[in-house]
Amino acid sequence: MNKNKAISITLGAMLLSGNLFSGPVYAQQQKPLDPIDRISQLKNSEDILNYKKEIEQINKELAEQVSLRSNSGDDVKITLTFSQFITESQLKEIVEKYNIKPKMVAARFNQDDGKKGTYFVAFEKAKQEEINRVAEKNEATFEGYIELVGDIPREQIDMLSSEEEVFLVDPTADKTLSENPKEKYAPGLFWKIEKHELVK
């Protein structure tokens, strides 16, 4: 593999192409926003932290007040951005502790020349041995897991948000908050928080 090329391994697009805040919690908003456009507008650390506060307030309301009707009963579709690189054991611990039904995770790869890449893989295949094999094939090293997508019981969402390893639990892909007929997941924020030095 040419080391001058950045790693670009993406197994499946997870971007959401619906409208944001069209559900009962934020029905008062006059103009629903496209989540991809919304996240693309986060240009600096202040923007990101303001978005984080907004989403955390939504999470409190989801946990305390809103009865969601999604494909998994009371489950909420989330995109989890970690606040730091985490290990396989940390990943499993969080998934088990909060009864998350994980779909995919994002692993960070680094090359010797400083190029970085993200490898999206099904959760059941996110084993250290497999990740290292893929990293070696791409002449890179595995640094840690940075994001996860899946479903979580709504009563757990606010508690998950308070974990030290968690930067943001974004539920805006859930059908009660967005028009999302293809049931995709919202974009993660790790690359943005890394760029603006918000990673622990």
Side-chain angles (χ1 to χ4, degrees):
M1 179 177 176
N2 188 342
K3 288 190 176 182
N4 292 325
K5 294 182 180 178
I7 307 168
S8 180
I9 309 171
T10 53
L11 300 182
M14 296 189 296
L15 295 180
L16 172 65
S17 58
N19 289 326
L20 182 60
F21 304 147
S22 60
V25 180
Y26 284 85
Q28 70 272 21
Q29 296 221 6
Q30 294 181 355
K31 186 178 180 182
L33 300 174
D34 185 313
I36 295 175
D37 181 60
R38 177 67 182 280
I39 290 176
S40 72
Q41 292 177 28
L42 304 179
K43 302 298 185 184
N44 53 49
S45 59
E46 184 179 3
D47 290 345
I48 294 170
L49 292 174
N50 285 337
Y51 182 74
K52 175 179 166 71
K53 288 179 183 177
E54 184 177 339
I55 297 302
E56 287 175 344
Q57 180 58 39
I58 292 173
N59 289 342
K60 288 183 186 300
E61 295 186 24
L62 291 179
E64 296 171 2
Q65 302 169 10
V66 181
S67 179
L68 294 179
R69 297 185 304 278
S70 63
N71 286 344
S72 302
D74 284 329
D75 285 350
V76 184
K77 298 179 78 67
I78 60 163
T79 298
L80 170 54
T81 299
F82 294 108
S83 61
Q84 58 198 37
F85 298 105
I86 68 166
T87 65
E88 180 183 359
S89 61
Q90 288 175 305
L91 180 68
K92 289 180 177 178
E93 182 179 350
I94 287 174
V95 166
E96 292 173 5
K97 183 176 180 180
Y98 293 98
N99 299 315
I100 300 172
K101 299 177 180 67
K103 305 297 183 185
M104 299 188 75
V105 293
R108 164 60 66 76
F109 288 171
N110 289 340
Q111 290 180 319
D112 291 340
D113 60 3
K115 298 288 177 63
K116 303 173 182 178
T118 302
Y119 175 55
F120 291 102
V121 61
F123 178 77
E124 59 270 18
K125 295 183 178 180
K127 312 270 188 219
Q128 188 76 53
E129 182 178 345
E130 171 65 13
I131 296 298
N132 286 337
R133 183 189 66 77
V134 175
E136 183 178 347
K137 183 178 179 181
N138 287 276
E139 299 180 25
T141 56
F142 169 60
E143 188 159 1
Y145 296 100
I146 59 175
E147 295 168 0
L148 175 147
V149 298
D151 303 328
I152 185 173
R154 69 179 181 89
E155 65 272 15
Q156 299 274 17
I157 193 170
D158 189 36
M159 291 183 286
L160 173 59
S161 299
S162 67
E163 286 285 347
E164 181 180 354
E165 298 89 352
V166 171
F167 180 79
L168 184 65
V169 183
D170 192 337
T172 56
D174 195 88
K175 64 175 62 177
T176 60
L177 299 176
S178 302
E179 294 177 9
N180 184 16
K182 294 186 178 180
E183 298 191 0
K184 296 182 180 179
Y185 288 86
L189 292 179
F190 193 89
W191 283 74
K192 285 185 178 290
I193 69 172
E194 184 178 47
K195 178 180 178 181
H196 296 290
E197 301 182 343
L198 295 173
V199 174
K200 291 183 179 180

